Amino acid sequence: MANESSAREHWSGGLGFILAAAGSAIGLGNIWKFPYITGENGGGAFVLVYLLCITVIGVPVMLCEITLGRHTQRNPVGAFRMLNPPVSRLAHLIGLCMVTLGLVLLAFREWGWGVATLGLGLAVFKYGWVLVGGLGVVAGFCILSFYSVVAGWTVGYTWKAMAGQLNFTDIPTAEAAFGAFIVDPWWAIGCHAVFMLLCILIVYRGVRAGIERWSKILMPVLFGILVVLIVRGLTLPGAMAGVQFYLSPDFSKLTTNSILIALGHAFFSLSLGMGAIMTYGSYVGKNQNLFLSTLSIVVLDTLVALMAGLAMFPAVFAKGFNPAVGPGLVFQVLPTVFAHIPFGAFWATIFFILLLVAALTSGISLLEVVTAYFVDERKWTRHRATVVFGIVIFLLGSLCAISVTGWERLPRLHDVLVATFGSVKGSFFDVMDNLASNWMLPLGGLFISLFVGWIWGTKRAVDEIRQGSHNFADVHLISLLAGLKDDPGHNDPRHVITLASLWGIFIRFISPVAVLIAFLNTIGWLDLTKKKSAPPPPPPAIEQAEPAQESVEP
Ligand code: PHE
């Protein structure tokens, strides 16, 4: 489709969409977070649980998002506005619960929370499901504001690696250098600005010439670098211990908490719950197979997450460092590991380029959600929307950048928040992260599956998916798996067990319940973790490195 302002741009084909969406999904979550949470939660056992979560929740919800996007050809707000029913009893019920909760909170003099909950409840009555789309756009602002700060660190570390400044002899030196780096406002804001500028430049060019073109260049680069790093790591003497640590299943380390971590991470890693994938889905043509695209994106995302661990742990073990350091793994342990390997500066440079590439293709998808909203709904030009909101997010992110470790630099904002909400956990950076990752994404995912399952209806969704994929809805699952879908005897139209029917059950029942349980647990209203996770883990065999910094965890 052409670039005319009236016609909506589309991907040039299936590959363009898959690579762009995989680019959104593959990000810091895969390369930085997945390896260390796997390391901390039982290696292979955790990988199994994670695979289960993405199959049961990730695939169905992603298919919902892509289907909503392609059907409506709109940004998340426009999509829900188009499909929002005039009256929704479910929405009214949710609104009523929130209004009641708001009033109860006010009665207990929780003014900030009370007003916020009451206001949101009333908004549910006014806007209905459109609010879910709005939540996505707001989440885009919040996530990109802290994500681009961490991405900025990768810009800075790429630079430092090239300049040979990451030559740390031991972990404490690396930690001190990292600590000094992230609190230096010039570095933090400067690097964050460079990253935002790159995002703006790509999104500015549009869907095909910007996002698709760059995803097609950057994703193979990312893959190539990962393979090179894996080969380098695995060929170091003593590397196999790392593979064993990473992948051998240790079910004793698996707690209920690990399962919830896996579920939460599945959302973040697949970019679900805030409309990024929905927005990308809105540029997909009608002839494309949505189910296979979904599977490809999920498989690529998981593959890269697994490969990232294989690129790191063998090298960490080979050089005798402790792998269980949590968030500090990438910025503290790895540079030290590389410093002990021949041509370390080169390896460190390509590693940080890898991280930057991964972050960039995710960053552009976050900016695209905001841009698409202002282009579709407010009739702004793409250029104006990209530049204006790129700058707004840069400013919001600058607040995160200067307050990564605490509120010293933002005392006024801190006072206002404390006066309104009673107390604030963590820094401004943590507040943004917590708000987006623990509240907005799970709630967004929950409401998206409820909306498709119960309001818009699986029937209409399946009609949309059918375009481009008959096998999804019209072929008996058993015949499909057996390769007999074209056999006349197996083509009885009364067949009911199809991929579509399975998906419908997941979307209506399993995904919402699982997400709700995980959400209630994260916000502390349901504590499933106490009994099982009570015994402290045995001390690791290798010398324990410094505890990881809480505040660097998006
Ligand atoms: N999926 C990205 C990652 O793994 C983060 C992201 C979340 C991107 C939500 C877009 C939307 O790093």
Side-chain angles (χ1 to χ4, degrees):
M1 211 147 292
N3 270 336
E4 308 133 19
S5 54
S6 55
R8 193 177 185 75
E9 260 198 282
H10 283 83
W11 310 107
S12 64
L15 186 69
F17 166 58
I18 290 172
L19 286 184
S24 166
I26 297 168
L28 295 171
N30 302 59
I31 298 179
W32 167 61
K33 196 163 180 186
F34 183 80
Y36 83 74
I37 55 176
T38 301
E40 285 172 345
N41 286 282
F46 180 79
V47 172
L48 288 180
V49 174
Y50 180 73
L51 289 180
L52 193 73
C53 289
I54 53 175
T55 319
V56 173
I57 320 272
V59 173
V61 175
M62 182 175 285
L63 188 54
C64 281
E65 282 209 24
I66 298 180
T67 309
L68 279 172
R70 188 179 73 173
H71 181 78
T72 57
Q73 299 279 299
R74 296 263 191 304
N75 67 94
V77 173
F80 280 99
R81 188 171 284 155
M82 191 167 147
L83 304 176
N84 194 30
V87 188
S88 160
R89 262 184 282 162
L90 186 57
H92 285 173
L93 185 69
I94 295 170
L96 193 67
C97 289
M98 291 182 72
V99 168
T100 317
L101 183 65
L103 291 175
V104 171
L105 286 168
L106 286 180
F108 280 96
R109 293 171 184 274
E110 290 279 358
W111 304 118
W113 289 111
V115 171
T117 318
L118 188 66
L120 266 176
L122 293 174
V124 173
F125 279 104
K126 182 155 191 291
Y127 299 106
W129 294 91
V130 181
L131 222 53
V132 181
L135 196 73
V137 177
V138 176
F141 274 97
C142 296
I143 299 179
L144 191 50
S145 73
F146 71 81
Y147 200 83
S148 62
V149 172
V150 183
W153 299 344
T154 72
V155 174
Y157 263 52
T158 308
W159 174 261
K160 282 175 182 266
M162 283 198 280
Q165 290 172 8
L166 298 183
N167 220 342
F168 309 124
T169 42
D170 49 35
I171 304 280
T173 322
E175 273 175 357
F178 180 63
F181 170 74
I182 60 171
V183 296
D184 182 332
W186 294 111
W187 270 110
I189 296 184
C191 294
H192 158 63
V194 171
F195 180 78
M196 280 311 299
L197 192 68
L198 292 175
C199 290
I200 293 173
L201 285 177
I202 295 178
V203 175
Y204 187 88
R205 305 284 322 268
V207 174
R208 239 193 234 191
I211 302 173
E212 176 173 338
R213 174 154 166 257
W214 282 98
S215 302
K216 278 182 166 166
I217 297 172
L218 294 175
M219 294 318 283
V221 169
L222 179 135
F223 236 77
I225 296 183
L226 255 183
V227 171
V228 171
L229 282 172
I230 291 176
V231 172
R232 170 69 283 199
L234 288 179
T235 48
L236 290 169
M240 278 309 138
V243 179
Q244 233 183 3
F245 164 81
Y246 183 43
L247 292 179
S248 61
D250 177 355
F251 285 95
S252 69
K253 278 206 215 150
L254 207 60
T255 60
T256 319
N257 205 22
S258 320
I259 300 171
L260 298 172
I261 291 176
L263 189 59
H265 186 65
F267 263 87
F268 187 80
S269 184
L270 293 173
S271 306
L272 293 177
M274 50 83 58
I277 296 293
M278 200 185 297
T279 308
Y280 275 14
S282 75
Y283 306 125
V284 171
K286 288 286 180 198
N287 54 352
Q288 262 168 56
N289 187 325
L290 299 188
F291 180 63
L292 280 186
S293 303
T294 304
L295 283 188
S296 315
I297 299 162
V298 172
V299 167
L300 282 176
D301 184 68
T302 313
L303 194 67
V304 168
L306 288 171
M307 286 169 74
L310 280 184
M312 293 179 214
F313 286 115
V316 172
F317 268 83
K319 294 296 156 194
F321 288 106
N322 175 28
V325 292
L329 184 67
V330 162
F331 292 102
Q332 293 154 19
V333 180
L334 278 183
T336 319
V337 169
F338 288 131
H340 288 76
I341 290 176
F343 307 110
F346 168 75
W347 296 111
T349 306
I350 68 164
F351 175 78
F352 284 107
I353 291 178
L354 167 81
L355 211 55
L356 177 59
V357 165
L360 188 58
T361 47
S362 299
I364 56 180
S365 74
L366 289 159
L367 184 57
E368 178 61 23
V369 174
V370 178
T371 303
Y373 167 72
F374 280 91
V375 171
D376 289 350
E377 305 300 306
R378 309 263 158 178
K379 306 295 170 221
W380 285 34
T381 63
R382 165 172 288 273
H383 292 175
R384 182 168 165 224
T386 313
V387 173
V388 169
F389 290 100
I391 294 174
V392 171
I393 295 171
F394 163 72
L395 294 175
L396 194 63
S398 298
L399 297 184
C400 294
I402 60 169
S403 68
V404 164
T405 48
W407 288 95
E408 304 78 35
R409 291 192 178 121
L410 298 172
R412 292 250 172 81
L413 184 61
H414 187 229
D415 292 345
V416 171
L417 288 178
V418 171
T420 320
F421 295 106
S423 69
V424 188
K425 251 204 323 201
S427 62
F428 184 67
F429 180 103
D430 298 325
V431 169
M432 282 295 166
D433 172 16
N434 182 20
L435 195 67
S437 316
N438 296 338
W439 291 75
M440 292 180 171
L441 294 190
L443 281 180
L446 174 68
F447 290 136
I448 287 170
S449 41
L450 284 179
F451 182 79
V452 172
W454 298 95
I455 307 294
W456 188 39
T458 37
K459 161 84 179 72
R460 291 198 195 102
V462 165
D463 282 343
E464 177 64 39
I465 302 171
R466 252 199 197 101
Q467 303 179 44
S469 162
H470 279 291
N471 290 349
F472 185 73
D474 302 329
V475 179
H476 195 289
L477 187 57
I478 306 290
S479 339
L480 190 65
L481 291 180
L484 291 171
K485 69 185 172 64
D486 298 321
D487 177 59
H490 287 85
N491 264 341
D492 188 328
R494 284 166 306 162
H495 284 154
V496 283
I497 305 178
T498 56
L499 280 168
S501 54
L502 267 189
W503 172 74
I505 294 171
F506 275 101
I507 270 317
R508 284 159 74 90
F509 303 102
I510 300 175
S511 309
V513 170
V515 178
L516 190 65
I517 291 175
F519 172 69
L520 292 179
N521 180 76
T522 337
I523 64 168
W525 285 17
L526 181 82
D527 200 347
L528 297 171
T529 59
K530 271 200 181 130
K531 279 155 272 147
K532 282 201 181 166
S533 56
I542 305 171
E543 181 207 341
Q544 182 73 50
E546 291 295 309
Q549 270 197 22
E550 250 303 293
S551 55
V552 295
E553 182 176 346

